[in-house]
Short mmCIF file of all heavy atoms in Angstrom, two decimals:
data_model
loop_
_atom_site.label_atom_id
_atom_site.label_comp_id
_atom_site.label_asym_id
_atom_site.label_seq_id
_atom_site.Cartn_x
_atom_site.Cartn_y
_atom_site.Cartn_z
N LYS D 15 -2.66 23.10 3.07
CA LYS D 15 -2.70 22.56 1.75
C LYS D 15 -1.64 21.46 1.73
O LYS D 15 -1.80 20.40 1.21
CB LYS D 15 -2.37 23.57 0.69
CG LYS D 15 -3.66 24.57 0.58
CD LYS D 15 -3.36 25.53 -0.65
CE LYS D 15 -4.33 26.38 -0.63
NZ LYS D 15 -4.46 27.13 -1.87
N VAL D 16 -0.47 21.68 2.58
CA VAL D 16 0.56 20.58 2.54
C VAL D 16 -0.01 19.38 3.24
O VAL D 16 0.20 18.18 2.81
CB VAL D 16 1.80 21.17 3.37
CG1 VAL D 16 2.80 20.04 3.52
CG2 VAL D 16 2.41 22.23 2.41
N ASN D 17 -0.82 19.59 4.27
CA ASN D 17 -1.42 18.40 5.05
C ASN D 17 -2.29 17.60 4.04
O ASN D 17 -2.15 16.39 4.06
CB ASN D 17 -2.15 18.98 6.17
CG ASN D 17 -2.80 17.83 7.05
OD1 ASN D 17 -2.23 16.74 6.95
ND2 ASN D 17 -3.78 18.19 7.83
N ALA D 18 -3.01 18.23 3.28
CA ALA D 18 -3.92 17.58 2.40
C ALA D 18 -3.19 16.77 1.33
O ALA D 18 -3.65 15.57 0.97
CB ALA D 18 -5.02 18.50 1.80
N PHE D 19 -2.13 17.46 0.76
CA PHE D 19 -1.39 16.81 -0.15
C PHE D 19 -0.57 15.57 0.40
O PHE D 19 -0.65 14.47 -0.24
CB PHE D 19 -0.24 17.73 -0.71
CG PHE D 19 0.64 17.13 -1.72
CD1 PHE D 19 0.26 16.69 -3.04
CD2 PHE D 19 1.98 16.78 -1.32
CE1 PHE D 19 1.04 16.21 -3.93
CE2 PHE D 19 2.79 16.14 -2.20
CZ PHE D 19 2.40 15.80 -3.46
N MET D 20 -0.03 15.62 1.55
CA MET D 20 0.70 14.45 2.13
C MET D 20 -0.40 13.32 2.43
O MET D 20 -0.05 12.22 2.27
CB MET D 20 1.41 14.98 3.46
CG MET D 20 2.55 15.80 3.22
SD MET D 20 3.73 15.06 2.06
CE MET D 20 4.14 13.59 2.96
N ARG D 21 -1.51 13.71 2.96
CA ARG D 21 -2.53 12.63 3.26
C ARG D 21 -2.94 11.96 2.02
O ARG D 21 -3.15 10.74 2.00
CB ARG D 21 -3.74 13.22 4.05
CG ARG D 21 -3.37 13.60 5.48
CD ARG D 21 -4.58 14.25 6.20
NE ARG D 21 -5.83 13.49 6.00
CZ ARG D 21 -6.95 14.01 5.83
NH1 ARG D 21 -7.21 15.29 5.63
NH2 ARG D 21 -7.96 13.25 5.70
N ALA D 22 -3.11 12.74 0.93
CA ALA D 22 -3.55 12.16 -0.40
C ALA D 22 -2.28 11.18 -0.86
O ALA D 22 -2.59 10.12 -1.52
CB ALA D 22 -3.83 13.18 -1.33
N ALA D 23 -1.15 11.68 -0.86
CA ALA D 23 0.00 10.88 -1.27
C ALA D 23 0.08 9.56 -0.57
O ALA D 23 0.38 8.55 -1.12
CB ALA D 23 1.17 11.75 -1.24
N LEU D 24 0.01 9.72 0.89
CA LEU D 24 0.17 8.47 1.57
C LEU D 24 -1.01 7.50 1.30
O LEU D 24 -0.89 6.35 1.50
CB LEU D 24 0.19 8.81 3.07
CG LEU D 24 1.57 9.49 3.49
CD1 LEU D 24 1.52 10.00 4.93
CD2 LEU D 24 2.69 8.52 3.37
N ALA D 25 -2.18 8.03 1.11
CA ALA D 25 -3.37 7.11 0.90
C ALA D 25 -3.40 6.58 -0.60
O ALA D 25 -4.26 5.70 -0.88
CB ALA D 25 -4.59 7.86 1.19
N ALA D 26 -2.62 7.11 -1.54
CA ALA D 26 -2.84 6.73 -2.89
C ALA D 26 -2.48 5.15 -3.10
O ALA D 26 -3.36 4.48 -3.77
CB ALA D 26 -1.79 7.47 -3.72
N GLY D 27 -1.43 4.52 -2.44
CA GLY D 27 -1.18 3.24 -2.63
C GLY D 27 -2.34 2.30 -2.19
O GLY D 27 -2.84 1.46 -2.99
N PRO D 28 -2.76 2.38 -0.88
CA PRO D 28 -3.82 1.63 -0.44
C PRO D 28 -5.14 1.83 -1.25
O PRO D 28 -5.85 0.80 -1.48
CB PRO D 28 -4.09 1.92 1.00
CG PRO D 28 -2.64 2.40 1.47
CD PRO D 28 -2.02 3.09 0.18
N THR D 29 -5.37 3.08 -1.58
CA THR D 29 -6.55 3.36 -2.50
C THR D 29 -6.59 2.62 -3.81
O THR D 29 -7.59 1.98 -4.12
CB THR D 29 -6.76 4.90 -2.63
OG1 THR D 29 -6.76 5.49 -1.25
CG2 THR D 29 -7.87 5.22 -3.31
N ILE D 30 -5.47 2.69 -4.38
CA ILE D 30 -5.29 1.97 -5.83
C ILE D 30 -5.50 0.53 -5.59
O ILE D 30 -6.29 -0.10 -6.36
CB ILE D 30 -3.97 2.45 -6.46
CG1 ILE D 30 -4.08 3.90 -6.78
CG2 ILE D 30 -3.78 1.54 -7.67
CD1 ILE D 30 -2.68 4.45 -7.23
N TYR D 31 -4.82 0.09 -4.68
CA TYR D 31 -4.87 -1.42 -4.32
C TYR D 31 -6.34 -1.94 -4.01
O TYR D 31 -6.83 -2.88 -4.66
CB TYR D 31 -3.86 -1.82 -3.32
CG TYR D 31 -3.85 -3.45 -3.04
CD1 TYR D 31 -3.03 -4.13 -3.89
CD2 TYR D 31 -4.59 -4.08 -2.07
CE1 TYR D 31 -2.98 -5.56 -3.70
CE2 TYR D 31 -4.52 -5.35 -1.90
CZ TYR D 31 -3.75 -6.08 -2.74
OH TYR D 31 -3.68 -7.51 -2.62
N LEU D 32 -6.83 -1.21 -3.15
CA LEU D 32 -8.28 -1.62 -2.75
C LEU D 32 -9.29 -1.40 -3.94
O LEU D 32 -10.27 -2.16 -4.11
CB LEU D 32 -8.74 -0.93 -1.44
CG LEU D 32 -7.93 -1.22 -0.20
CD1 LEU D 32 -8.50 -0.38 1.00
CD2 LEU D 32 -8.29 -2.73 0.11
N GLY D 33 -9.10 -0.35 -4.69
CA GLY D 33 -9.92 -0.06 -5.83
C GLY D 33 -9.87 -1.17 -6.82
O GLY D 33 -10.82 -1.63 -7.41
N LYS D 34 -8.61 -1.63 -7.07
CA LYS D 34 -8.39 -2.73 -8.03
C LYS D 34 -9.06 -3.97 -7.53
O LYS D 34 -9.77 -4.69 -8.36
CB LYS D 34 -6.96 -3.07 -8.29
CG LYS D 34 -6.75 -4.08 -9.27
CD LYS D 34 -5.39 -4.77 -9.22
CE LYS D 34 -5.35 -5.76 -10.47
NZ LYS D 34 -6.16 -7.03 -10.19
N ILE D 35 -9.03 -4.30 -6.32
CA ILE D 35 -9.64 -5.53 -5.70
C ILE D 35 -11.16 -5.37 -5.81
O ILE D 35 -11.83 -6.24 -6.31
CB ILE D 35 -9.27 -5.76 -4.28
CG1 ILE D 35 -7.85 -6.16 -4.20
CG2 ILE D 35 -10.22 -6.77 -3.55
CD1 ILE D 35 -7.30 -6.37 -2.75
N PHE D 36 -11.68 -4.27 -5.44
CA PHE D 36 -13.20 -4.05 -5.39
C PHE D 36 -13.87 -3.90 -6.74
O PHE D 36 -14.81 -4.58 -7.00
CB PHE D 36 -13.69 -2.90 -4.41
CG PHE D 36 -13.36 -3.07 -3.06
CD1 PHE D 36 -12.91 -2.11 -2.31
CD2 PHE D 36 -13.54 -4.36 -2.40
CE1 PHE D 36 -12.67 -2.26 -1.05
CE2 PHE D 36 -13.29 -4.56 -1.07
CZ PHE D 36 -12.84 -3.50 -0.35
N ILE D 37 -13.20 -3.14 -7.53
CA ILE D 37 -13.75 -2.96 -8.91
C ILE D 37 -13.34 -3.96 -9.98
O ILE D 37 -14.09 -4.56 -10.56
CB ILE D 37 -13.35 -1.45 -9.42
CG1 ILE D 37 -14.00 -0.42 -8.49
CG2 ILE D 37 -13.84 -1.23 -10.85
CD1 ILE D 37 -13.53 0.92 -8.65
N TRP D 38 -12.03 -4.03 -10.18
CA TRP D 38 -11.56 -4.86 -11.26
C TRP D 38 -11.74 -6.39 -10.97
O TRP D 38 -12.31 -7.12 -11.71
CB TRP D 38 -10.03 -4.71 -11.44
CG TRP D 38 -9.52 -5.23 -12.72
CD1 TRP D 38 -8.73 -6.41 -12.81
CD2 TRP D 38 -9.55 -4.70 -14.02
NE1 TRP D 38 -8.44 -6.62 -14.06
CE2 TRP D 38 -8.93 -5.63 -14.93
CE3 TRP D 38 -10.34 -3.70 -14.57
CZ2 TRP D 38 -8.95 -5.47 -16.18
CZ3 TRP D 38 -10.24 -3.51 -16.01
CH2 TRP D 38 -9.59 -4.41 -16.75
N ASP D 39 -11.35 -6.91 -9.64
CA ASP D 39 -11.50 -8.24 -9.39
C ASP D 39 -12.91 -8.78 -9.02
O ASP D 39 -13.32 -9.77 -9.51
CB ASP D 39 -10.48 -8.52 -8.24
CG ASP D 39 -9.05 -8.40 -8.66
OD1 ASP D 39 -8.68 -8.18 -9.78
OD2 ASP D 39 -8.26 -8.50 -7.72
N LYS D 40 -13.48 -7.99 -8.09
CA LYS D 40 -14.81 -8.46 -7.62
C LYS D 40 -15.90 -8.09 -8.52
O LYS D 40 -16.78 -8.89 -8.96
CB LYS D 40 -15.06 -7.89 -6.15
CG LYS D 40 -13.99 -8.32 -5.17
CD LYS D 40 -14.03 -9.74 -4.92
CE LYS D 40 -12.98 -10.16 -3.98
NZ LYS D 40 -12.84 -11.55 -3.70
N ALA D 41 -16.02 -6.78 -8.69
CA ALA D 41 -17.30 -6.31 -9.42
C ALA D 41 -17.28 -6.65 -10.98
O ALA D 41 -18.29 -7.18 -11.46
CB ALA D 41 -17.44 -4.68 -9.42
N LEU D 42 -16.17 -6.52 -11.64
CA LEU D 42 -16.09 -6.92 -13.02
C LEU D 42 -15.61 -8.30 -13.23
O LEU D 42 -15.75 -8.80 -14.36
CB LEU D 42 -15.11 -5.82 -13.76
CG LEU D 42 -15.50 -4.44 -13.75
CD1 LEU D 42 -14.49 -3.56 -14.33
CD2 LEU D 42 -16.88 -4.26 -14.32
N GLY D 43 -14.98 -8.90 -12.26
CA GLY D 43 -14.51 -10.29 -12.45
C GLY D 43 -13.48 -10.54 -13.47
O GLY D 43 -13.36 -11.51 -14.14
N LEU D 44 -12.59 -9.48 -13.73
CA LEU D 44 -11.63 -9.55 -14.77
C LEU D 44 -10.24 -9.86 -14.41
O LEU D 44 -9.31 -9.89 -15.19
CB LEU D 44 -11.51 -8.16 -15.41
CG LEU D 44 -12.89 -7.77 -16.12
CD1 LEU D 44 -12.75 -6.37 -16.70
CD2 LEU D 44 -13.19 -8.75 -17.28
N GLY D 45 -9.98 -10.15 -13.02
CA GLY D 45 -8.63 -10.43 -12.61
C GLY D 45 -8.55 -11.15 -11.26
O GLY D 45 -9.58 -11.35 -10.68
N LYS D 46 -7.40 -11.47 -10.93
CA LYS D 46 -7.18 -12.10 -9.54
C LYS D 46 -5.79 -11.38 -9.07
O LYS D 46 -4.81 -11.52 -9.61
CB LYS D 46 -6.97 -13.59 -9.73
CG LYS D 46 -6.73 -14.13 -8.34
CD LYS D 46 -6.80 -15.68 -8.46
CE LYS D 46 -6.70 -16.35 -7.14
NZ LYS D 46 -5.67 -15.96 -6.22
N THR D 47 -5.91 -10.67 -7.90
CA THR D 47 -4.88 -9.94 -7.36
C THR D 47 -4.17 -10.83 -6.26
O THR D 47 -4.91 -11.58 -5.52
CB THR D 47 -5.30 -8.67 -6.58
OG1 THR D 47 -5.98 -7.81 -7.58
CG2 THR D 47 -4.19 -8.06 -6.00
N ASP D 48 -2.89 -10.96 -6.28
CA ASP D 48 -2.18 -11.75 -5.22
C ASP D 48 -2.50 -11.16 -3.90
O ASP D 48 -2.47 -9.91 -3.70
CB ASP D 48 -0.61 -11.73 -5.56
CG ASP D 48 -0.25 -12.45 -6.82
OD1 ASP D 48 -1.07 -13.27 -7.35
OD2 ASP D 48 0.80 -12.13 -7.33
N PRO D 49 -2.70 -12.06 -2.93
CA PRO D 49 -3.00 -11.59 -1.59
C PRO D 49 -1.80 -10.82 -0.94
O PRO D 49 -0.64 -11.19 -1.26
CB PRO D 49 -3.33 -12.83 -0.84
CG PRO D 49 -2.75 -13.98 -1.51
CD PRO D 49 -2.60 -13.60 -3.00
N LEU D 50 -2.23 -9.82 -0.11
CA LEU D 50 -1.12 -9.12 0.65
C LEU D 50 -0.68 -10.00 1.94
O LEU D 50 -1.64 -10.73 2.49
CB LEU D 50 -1.66 -7.85 1.16
CG LEU D 50 -1.89 -6.79 0.10
CD1 LEU D 50 -2.46 -5.48 0.71
CD2 LEU D 50 -0.56 -6.31 -0.64
N THR D 51 0.43 -9.76 2.38
CA THR D 51 0.85 -10.44 3.63
C THR D 51 0.21 -9.65 4.73
O THR D 51 -0.47 -8.56 4.63
CB THR D 51 2.41 -10.18 3.84
OG1 THR D 51 2.67 -8.81 4.01
CG2 THR D 51 3.17 -10.85 2.75
N PRO D 52 -0.07 -10.39 5.95
CA PRO D 52 -0.68 -9.77 7.06
C PRO D 52 -0.11 -8.42 7.40
O PRO D 52 -0.86 -7.42 7.90
CB PRO D 52 -0.53 -10.80 8.20
CG PRO D 52 -0.45 -12.01 7.43
CD PRO D 52 0.40 -11.79 6.17
N GLU D 53 1.09 -8.22 7.32
CA GLU D 53 1.81 -6.96 7.68
C GLU D 53 1.37 -5.89 6.82
O GLU D 53 1.05 -4.77 7.22
CB GLU D 53 3.29 -7.05 7.68
CG GLU D 53 3.96 -7.98 8.78
CD GLU D 53 3.91 -9.46 8.39
OE1 GLU D 53 3.63 -9.76 7.21
OE2 GLU D 53 4.15 -10.28 9.21
N LEU D 54 1.28 -6.25 5.41
CA LEU D 54 0.85 -5.11 4.58
C LEU D 54 -0.62 -4.70 4.77
O LEU D 54 -1.02 -3.70 4.53
CB LEU D 54 1.10 -5.55 3.06
CG LEU D 54 2.64 -5.47 2.66
CD1 LEU D 54 2.78 -5.94 1.31
CD2 LEU D 54 3.09 -4.07 2.75
N TRP D 55 -1.46 -5.77 5.05
CA TRP D 55 -2.83 -5.49 5.46
C TRP D 55 -2.99 -4.58 6.64
O TRP D 55 -3.93 -3.73 6.72
CB TRP D 55 -3.70 -6.81 5.71
CG TRP D 55 -4.24 -7.36 4.41
CD1 TRP D 55 -4.01 -8.47 3.81
CD2 TRP D 55 -5.25 -6.63 3.47
NE1 TRP D 55 -4.69 -8.59 2.65
CE2 TRP D 55 -5.44 -7.42 2.39
CE3 TRP D 55 -5.92 -5.36 3.58
CZ2 TRP D 55 -6.36 -7.13 1.50
CZ3 TRP D 55 -6.75 -5.14 2.63
CH2 TRP D 55 -7.00 -5.94 1.59
N GLN D 56 -2.06 -4.72 7.55
CA GLN D 56 -2.00 -3.84 8.77
C GLN D 56 -1.76 -2.40 8.28
O GLN D 56 -2.33 -1.49 8.86
CB GLN D 56 -1.15 -4.30 9.78
CG GLN D 56 -1.46 -5.57 10.46
CD GLN D 56 -0.43 -6.17 11.50
OE1 GLN D 56 0.69 -5.67 11.51
NE2 GLN D 56 -0.78 -7.09 12.22
N VAL D 57 -0.88 -2.16 7.40
CA VAL D 57 -0.55 -0.95 6.83
C VAL D 57 -1.73 -0.35 6.13
O VAL D 57 -2.13 0.82 6.38
CB VAL D 57 0.60 -0.96 5.91
CG1 VAL D 57 0.88 0.35 5.19
CG2 VAL D 57 1.91 -1.33 6.63
N VAL D 58 -2.44 -1.14 5.19
CA VAL D 58 -3.70 -0.67 4.56
C VAL D 58 -4.72 -0.29 5.67
O VAL D 58 -5.30 0.88 5.48
CB VAL D 58 -4.16 -1.69 3.64
CG1 VAL D 58 -5.55 -1.37 3.17
CG2 VAL D 58 -3.15 -1.93 2.45
N MET D 59 -4.97 -1.10 6.57
CA MET D 59 -6.03 -0.76 7.57
C MET D 59 -5.55 0.40 8.42
O MET D 59 -6.51 1.28 8.80
CB MET D 59 -6.31 -1.98 8.50
CG MET D 59 -6.97 -3.11 7.84
SD MET D 59 -8.50 -2.55 7.08
CE MET D 59 -8.24 -2.93 5.40
N ALA D 60 -4.22 0.65 8.79
CA ALA D 60 -3.90 1.82 9.50
C ALA D 60 -4.13 3.12 8.65
O ALA D 60 -4.53 4.12 9.21
CB ALA D 60 -2.45 1.70 9.88
N VAL D 61 -3.82 3.13 7.38
CA VAL D 61 -4.06 4.30 6.51
C VAL D 61 -5.48 4.53 6.41
O VAL D 61 -5.98 5.69 6.70
CB VAL D 61 -3.47 4.01 5.10
CG1 VAL D 61 -3.92 5.13 4.13
CG2 VAL D 61 -1.89 3.99 5.18
N VAL D 62 -6.42 3.58 6.25
CA VAL D 62 -7.83 3.87 6.23
C VAL D 62 -8.35 4.32 7.51
O VAL D 62 -9.15 5.18 7.64
CB VAL D 62 -8.52 2.53 5.81
CG1 VAL D 62 -10.10 2.66 5.87
CG2 VAL D 62 -8.12 2.18 4.37
N GLY D 63 -7.93 3.64 8.57
CA GLY D 63 -8.42 3.93 9.91
C GLY D 63 -7.90 5.37 10.30
O GLY D 63 -8.83 6.11 10.99
N PHE D 64 -6.63 5.75 10.09
CA PHE D 64 -6.27 7.13 10.46
C PHE D 64 -7.01 8.14 9.53
O PHE D 64 -7.22 9.31 10.11
CB PHE D 64 -4.71 7.23 10.29
CG PHE D 64 -3.98 6.71 11.38
CD1 PHE D 64 -2.97 5.72 11.21
CD2 PHE D 64 -4.17 7.14 12.81
CE1 PHE D 64 -2.35 5.10 12.31
CE2 PHE D 64 -3.45 6.63 13.79
CZ PHE D 64 -2.58 5.68 13.60
N TYR D 65 -7.36 7.87 8.36
CA TYR D 65 -8.12 8.78 7.69
C TYR D 65 -9.41 9.10 8.23
O TYR D 65 -9.70 10.31 8.54
CB TYR D 65 -8.31 8.27 6.20
CG TYR D 65 -9.24 9.25 5.38
CD1 TYR D 65 -8.73 10.27 4.85
CD2 TYR D 65 -10.62 8.90 5.20
CE1 TYR D 65 -9.46 11.20 4.09
CE2 TYR D 65 -11.36 9.83 4.57
CZ TYR D 65 -10.83 10.93 3.94
OH TYR D 65 -11.66 11.84 3.20
N PHE D 66 -10.15 8.19 8.73
CA PHE D 66 -11.43 8.34 9.32
C PHE D 66 -11.28 8.91 10.74
O PHE D 66 -12.17 9.76 11.16
CB PHE D 66 -12.28 7.04 9.43
CG PHE D 66 -12.78 6.57 8.11
CD1 PHE D 66 -12.27 5.50 7.41
CD2 PHE D 66 -13.75 7.40 7.46
CE1 PHE D 66 -12.73 5.17 6.22
CE2 PHE D 66 -14.25 7.00 6.19
CZ PHE D 66 -13.73 5.89 5.55
N LEU D 67 -10.23 8.49 11.43
CA LEU D 67 -10.00 9.15 12.80
C LEU D 67 -9.72 10.64 12.73
O LEU D 67 -10.20 11.45 13.47
CB LEU D 67 -8.91 8.47 13.52
CG LEU D 67 -9.16 7.02 13.95
CD1 LEU D 67 -7.95 6.42 14.62
CD2 LEU D 67 -10.22 7.07 15.15
N TYR D 68 -8.85 10.95 11.60
CA TYR D 68 -8.61 12.42 11.39
C TYR D 68 -9.76 13.20 11.10
O TYR D 68 -9.92 14.26 11.65
CB TYR D 68 -7.51 12.51 10.26
CG TYR D 68 -7.23 13.89 9.86
CD1 TYR D 68 -6.28 14.60 10.67
CD2 TYR D 68 -7.83 14.61 8.85
CE1 TYR D 68 -5.97 15.93 10.39
CE2 TYR D 68 -7.58 15.94 8.48
CZ TYR D 68 -6.57 16.59 9.31
OH TYR D 68 -6.32 17.92 9.01
N GLU D 69 -10.62 12.66 10.17
CA GLU D 69 -11.88 13.44 9.86
C GLU D 69 -12.79 13.48 11.06
O GLU D 69 -13.41 14.61 11.28
CB GLU D 69 -12.56 12.70 8.75
CG GLU D 69 -11.79 12.69 7.41
CD GLU D 69 -11.55 14.09 6.85
OE1 GLU D 69 -12.54 14.98 7.07
OE2 GLU D 69 -10.60 14.39 6.34
N ALA D 70 -12.84 12.56 11.87
CA ALA D 70 -13.68 12.63 13.16
C ALA D 70 -13.15 13.68 14.09
O ALA D 70 -13.92 14.46 14.70
CB ALA D 70 -13.76 11.19 13.73
N ALA D 71 -11.82 13.64 14.26
CA ALA D 71 -11.20 14.60 15.22
C ALA D 71 -11.39 16.09 14.60
O ALA D 71 -11.71 16.94 15.42
CB ALA D 71 -9.75 14.32 15.30
N VAL D 72 -11.30 16.29 13.41
CA VAL D 72 -11.41 17.61 12.76
C VAL D 72 -12.90 18.11 12.93
O VAL D 72 -13.21 19.17 13.30
CB VAL D 72 -10.98 17.74 11.34
CG1 VAL D 72 -11.45 18.95 10.66
CG2 VAL D 72 -9.51 17.51 11.19
N GLY D 73 -13.83 17.15 12.67
CA GLY D 73 -15.25 17.50 12.91
C GLY D 73 -15.61 17.81 14.35
O GLY D 73 -16.28 18.71 14.58
N ALA D 74 -14.98 16.99 15.26
CA ALA D 74 -15.24 17.33 16.67
C ALA D 74 -14.63 18.70 17.09
O ALA D 74 -15.23 19.36 17.85
CB ALA D 74 -14.67 16.13 17.46
N ALA D 75 -13.44 18.91 16.63
CA ALA D 75 -12.90 20.21 16.94
C ALA D 75 -13.64 21.44 16.36
O ALA D 75 -13.75 22.43 17.04
CB ALA D 75 -11.39 20.20 16.30
N ARG D 76 -14.19 21.18 15.21
CA ARG D 76 -14.99 22.27 14.62
C ARG D 76 -16.25 22.50 15.45
O ARG D 76 -16.71 23.69 15.70
CB ARG D 76 -15.44 22.03 13.24
CG ARG D 76 -14.30 22.13 12.27
CD ARG D 76 -14.66 21.83 10.79
NE ARG D 76 -13.48 22.08 9.92
CZ ARG D 76 -13.36 21.33 8.84
NH1 ARG D 76 -14.44 20.53 8.39
NH2 ARG D 76 -12.31 21.39 8.28
N ILE D 77 -16.89 21.49 15.98
CA ILE D 77 -18.12 21.53 16.77
C ILE D 77 -17.70 22.26 18.13
O ILE D 77 -18.45 23.13 18.61
CB ILE D 77 -18.69 20.23 16.96
CG1 ILE D 77 -19.20 19.56 15.67
CG2 ILE D 77 -19.72 20.13 18.11
CD1 ILE D 77 -19.63 18.26 15.69
N LEU D 78 -16.56 21.86 18.68
CA LEU D 78 -16.26 22.38 20.01
C LEU D 78 -15.73 23.82 19.92
O LEU D 78 -15.89 24.56 20.85
CB LEU D 78 -15.08 21.56 20.64
CG LEU D 78 -15.57 20.09 21.05
CD1 LEU D 78 -14.40 19.26 21.53
CD2 LEU D 78 -16.67 20.20 22.19
N LYS D 79 -15.24 24.23 18.82
CA LYS D 79 -14.80 25.56 18.50
C LYS D 79 -15.92 26.52 18.52
O LYS D 79 -15.77 27.70 18.78
CB LYS D 79 -13.99 25.55 17.22
CG LYS D 79 -13.31 26.96 17.00
CD LYS D 79 -12.38 26.85 15.75
CE LYS D 79 -11.62 28.16 15.53
NZ LYS D 79 -10.85 28.01 14.33
N ARG D 80 -17.07 26.07 18.16
CA ARG D 80 -18.29 26.99 17.96
C ARG D 80 -18.58 27.46 19.45
O ARG D 80 -18.78 28.13 20.00
CB ARG D 80 -19.47 26.27 17.40
CG ARG D 80 -19.37 26.06 16.08
CD ARG D 80 -20.64 25.45 15.46
NE ARG D 80 -20.42 24.62 14.42
CZ ARG D 80 -21.34 24.03 13.75
NH1 ARG D 80 -22.55 23.94 14.28
NH2 ARG D 80 -21.14 23.29 12.63
#
C-alpha cells in the first residue's frame, strides 16, 4: 500500500500538468499553458515511462510466477 501511495504521489504533478494541457488547452481550447523546459519534460517522460515499465515488470513477474 505504501508503494501505491508513493507512486501516486510522485505521478500527481505530471498527471495534473498533462491533463491540463490535453483537456483544458487542447480539447476545450480555454487556455494556453507556458511550455516546460527540456529538463522538466525529461522528468515528466521519466515518470510516465517508469509507470509503464513498472506495470510491465509486475505483469511479467506474475506470469513467470505461475
Side-chain angles (χ1 to χ4, degrees):
K15 292 185 182 198
V16 172
N17 183 19
F19 175 75
M20 288 304 299
R21 287 178 52 222
L24 290 172
T29 301
I30 292 168
Y31 185 80
L32 292 176
K34 185 201 181 290
I35 289 175
F36 292 140
I37 296 170
W38 192 257
D39 294 351
K40 300 293 183 190
L42 299 176
L44 297 174
K46 183 174 185 311
T47 302
D48 293 335
L50 288 178
T51 63
E53 292 83 10
L54 287 176
W55 270 115
Q56 289 176 349
V57 171
V58 169
M59 291 301 120
V61 169
V62 171
F64 280 121
Y65 176 78
F66 287 110
L67 288 173
Y68 176 83
E69 292 299 323
V72 168
R76 286 181 184 153
I77 290 172
L78 293 174
K79 190 176 181 179
R80 292 186 203 174

